[in-house]
């Protein structure tokens, strides 16, 4: 059955939505049957609150930059329809889902919670199962799975979602190829090789000469003398 996945990340004004913190960036990468489609969703948002320099240093999004951006309520329906019915792949899912649910609940009327419209796969929980006792943040996973994140200066939602997509594919066995022409070419090549062997007929058996057998016996004598035994002699 075809599977639609959305690799998702958010950037926020702080840690806890219950303290009034809001989402300032949403980044989503769509994957269909483990292949990236290019149908991504990316929005910067005005959180209607001031951000401290400490959090700006993390994601690089300034108060001035988001001043003219849309509010979450302006893009809520578009975002809701985009993720509906998909499996969300999120690193530390409780954080992002908590913020999204908080934003949904602030709407009038509110939208239903994420788990009622999507399934959620937490790659942090998956990584902890695969690598217990090790660092399992996104940077550590990039090093472990040889995913290039050298272009990651700040924690950007869309960039982190793109990196997480590569990490997720590596964690779950790599990308599955859907290139049917390639599979057909390989099958035809294998069939031609088999037919070629059949056309050659039976292989000719070449027996050792008397001198070759004598030399072989001398070699076995030397092996037995040096090693005390010889596996090739009963």
């Amino acid at each position: 059955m075809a599977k639609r996945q959305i690799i998702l990340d958010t950037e926020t004004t702080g840690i806890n939505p219950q303290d009034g913190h809001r989402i300032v960036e949403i980044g989503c990468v769509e994957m269909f049957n483990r292949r990236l489609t290019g149908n991504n969703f990316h929005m910067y948002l005005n959180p209607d609150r001031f951000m401290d320099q400490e959090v700006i240093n993390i994601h690089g999004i300034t108060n001035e930059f988001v001043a003219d951006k849309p509010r979450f309520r302006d893009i809520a329906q578009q975002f809701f329809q985009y993720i509906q019915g998909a499996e969300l792949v999120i690193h530390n899912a409780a954080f992002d889902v908590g913020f999204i649910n908080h934003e949904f609940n602030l709407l009038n009327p509110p939208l239903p919670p994420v788990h009622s419209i999507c399934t959620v796969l937490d790659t942090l929980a998956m990584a902890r199962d695969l690598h217990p006792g090790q660092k399992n943040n996104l940077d550590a996973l990039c090093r472990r799975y040889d995913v290039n994140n050298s272009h990651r200066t700040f924690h950007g939602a869309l960039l982190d979602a793109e990196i997480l997509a590569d990490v997720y594919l590596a964690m779950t066995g790599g990308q599955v190829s859907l290139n049917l022409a390639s599979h057909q070419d390989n099958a035809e090549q294998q069939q031609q090789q088999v037919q070629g062997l059949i056309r050659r007929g039976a292989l000719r058996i070449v027996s050792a000469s008397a001198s070759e057998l004598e030399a072989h016996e001398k070699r076995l004598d030397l092996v037995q003398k040096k090693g005390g035994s010889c596996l090739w002699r009963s």
Side-chain angles (χ1 to χ4, degrees), residues 41-57:
F41 182 96
H42 182 222
M43 287 286 180
Y44 290 105
L45 301 170
N46 184 338
D48 283 321
R49 61 161 292 151
F50 185 81
M51 284 185 288
D52 293 331
Q53 188 60 44
E54 182 180 2
V55 72
I56 293 173
N57 291 340

Side-chain angles (χ1 to χ4, degrees), residues 132-145:
Q134 300 183 49
K135 287 185 177 180
N136 288 301
N137 58 37
L138 193 54
D139 287 334
L141 292 176
C142 285
R143 291 191 294 271
R144 189 170 300 142
Y145 289 101

